[in-house]
Amino acid sequence: MIVLIRSILANHSYRLLAVLHVVVIVTMLVLVSAYVRSQSDKAQIIILIAAGVIGAIAIISIFYLMRRILNVSRLMIASTTRIADGEFGFRITSSVESQSSELASVFNRMASTVSHTISDLSVERNTLFTILDTMADGVIVVDRESIVVLFNSTAARILNVSSTGMVGSRLAEVIRDHEIIRLSNKCQETGDVLLGEVEIPEVRKYLSVTATPLDNQTGGVLLTIHDLTSIRQIETTRKEFVSNVSHELRNPIASIKAITETLDRGALEDGDVARDFLARIYRDVDRMAVMVDELLELSRIESGQEVVDIRPVCLNDIVRDAVAIVEEQSSQESTTIVPQIDDAIIVMAQFEKISRVIVNLLQNALKFTPVTGVITIRVKEDNNSVILTIEDTGIGIANEHLPHIYERFYKVDKSRADKGTGLGLAIVKHLVQAHGGEVSVSSVEGKGSSFSFTLPGVSSSG
């Protein structure tokens, strides 16, 4: 830009000086011609004086003109330097004479064009980076030397690294996974689009990585990283679900098959044996029916098809109803259940759903608490929420099982033969969440467990 201004100024200077030189030369030629033709000494002296005056005027004019041109040149160079230094809003506002006003106007138009161009580029750049940072996929760009030139925040989150300070570093310094580095290097060598799946055990993630060669002068590779972890988890959950359902159905079906074969071989003739076998068939059928009903209920809750009619209810009434159901279903000699609830506590809930939650928790506690033990139901108000806790003095749960205790079909002791389907605590979790609450569990092996859930109080519903 400075070279352009200097060129413009030089062209103006040459034109002005050329005109001045022509005028001086013509004038001097005229004076010389007059001097030659003149015969008197007086005339010659006058001509010489005139020539000297004209020469002096020419020298002064040239000096004045060069000074003006130099001042304008300095102004333009200083203004251009400020633009080059990033002051895109700078304009020449000082008054200039008519000879250089056009040059100042051209400079200001040029500065405005540059400013608008830089502004548009900045907006496009910011828009691009915003799009990259809000993408669901990680994006990394490296040059032909494997130096990182772009690293969006999603890539940092997926790879569990910091997004600051990545640009300018080598890819091998940023990503420790050799599979991703190998994919990038191979893409550089072959120039082909490459796909690969990468497992990162440290953060337990499964990634789909696409390496695309960049067709530009600097070369490089575009790495697009898609997190497959949730998809893999869904696939694993589906496989476990099918396996668990198959396992839970296989035992009663095998039992029914064995009983029917025994009856077919002649046991049907023995009335007592036949009645016992039929009772076992009924129990197995009931167990399968309960599991199917619970699976359907859990599916409706998870899909949002189960409508929860929330309204103010007395928590103590719900607890009494649940305790009565459990005591009716249990044997005469059973663990003692001790409710400790204030009649004045009102919660926002559906009576039948929360009664089902408490029944499931009490039944779970009864399975692992001896007859001599005690199950206590406590309630605590916390701000606008109510926390209900069911404590038992049973065998307790090991710490490694606690994070999975509310998962469907999860059983702490898979070798233990019990009548449960493994769905009760999963139903508890989803019913409580449908009410806007949360579940938790704590336990000490050999001393007992404590299952808690929260419900919104009346004041928090409005």
Side-chain angles (χ1 to χ4, degrees), residues 241 286-302 356 359-360 363 367 408-409 419-427:
F241 173 76
D286 287 341
R287 180 181 176 185
M288 289 188 290
V290 169
M291 186 178 66
V292 171
D293 290 340
E294 289 183 345
L295 280 172
L296 291 174
E297 180 181 7
L298 189 57
S299 176
R300 288 195 302 269
I301 297 171
E302 289 179 335
R356 174 70 184 279
V359 166
N360 285 5
Q363 289 175 340
K367 292 177 188 176
R408 65 175 75 189
F409 293 115
K419 298 179 181 180
T421 61
L423 296 171
L425 293 181
I427 292 175

Side-chain angles (χ1 to χ4, degrees), residues 43 52 87 112 123 181 201 214 227 229 264 281 285 301 308 322 325 335 360 385 461:
E87 298 183 42
S112 298
V123 170
I181 298 173
L214 298 178
D227 193 350
T229 306
D264 186 53
I281 292 175
V285 171
I301 297 171
V308 180
I325 293 174
T335 307
N360 285 5
S385 298
S461 63

Side-chain angles (χ1 to χ4, degrees), residues 158-159 177 180 198-207:
I158 292 176
L159 298 171
D177 188 85
I180 299 179
V198 178
E199 179 182 359
I200 304 180
E202 295 81 3
V203 291
R204 294 183 179 180
K205 287 188 176 181
Y206 298 90
L207 309 177

Side-chain angles (χ1 to χ4, degrees), residues 311-373:
R311 60 183 62 190
V313 292
C314 176
L315 184 57
N316 197 15
D317 292 342
I318 301 177
V319 172
R320 279 199 296 262
D321 179 74
V323 171
I325 293 174
V326 173
E327 289 179 343
E328 182 180 348
Q329 294 175 350
S330 60
S331 61
Q332 293 181 354
E333 185 181 4
S334 180
T335 307
T336 303
I337 300 176
V338 181
Q340 296 180 356
I341 302 176
D342 189 346
D343 287 336
I345 296 179
I346 306 297
V347 295
M348 298 299 298
Q350 182 174 345
F351 190 102
E352 296 79 9
K353 302 296 184 187
I354 299 304
S355 177
R356 174 70 184 279
V357 168
I358 299 174
V359 166
N360 285 5
L361 291 175
L362 289 174
Q363 289 175 340
N364 183 75
L366 285 171
K367 292 177 188 176
F368 305 103
T369 304
V371 176
T372 57

Side-chain angles (χ1 to χ4, degrees), residues 91 116 162 209 214 243-244 246 248 270 302 376:
R91 301 292 183 272
H116 291 154
S162 174
V209 182
L214 298 178
S243 175
N244 288 327
S246 301
E248 293 296 331
D270 189 337
E302 289 179 335
T376 306

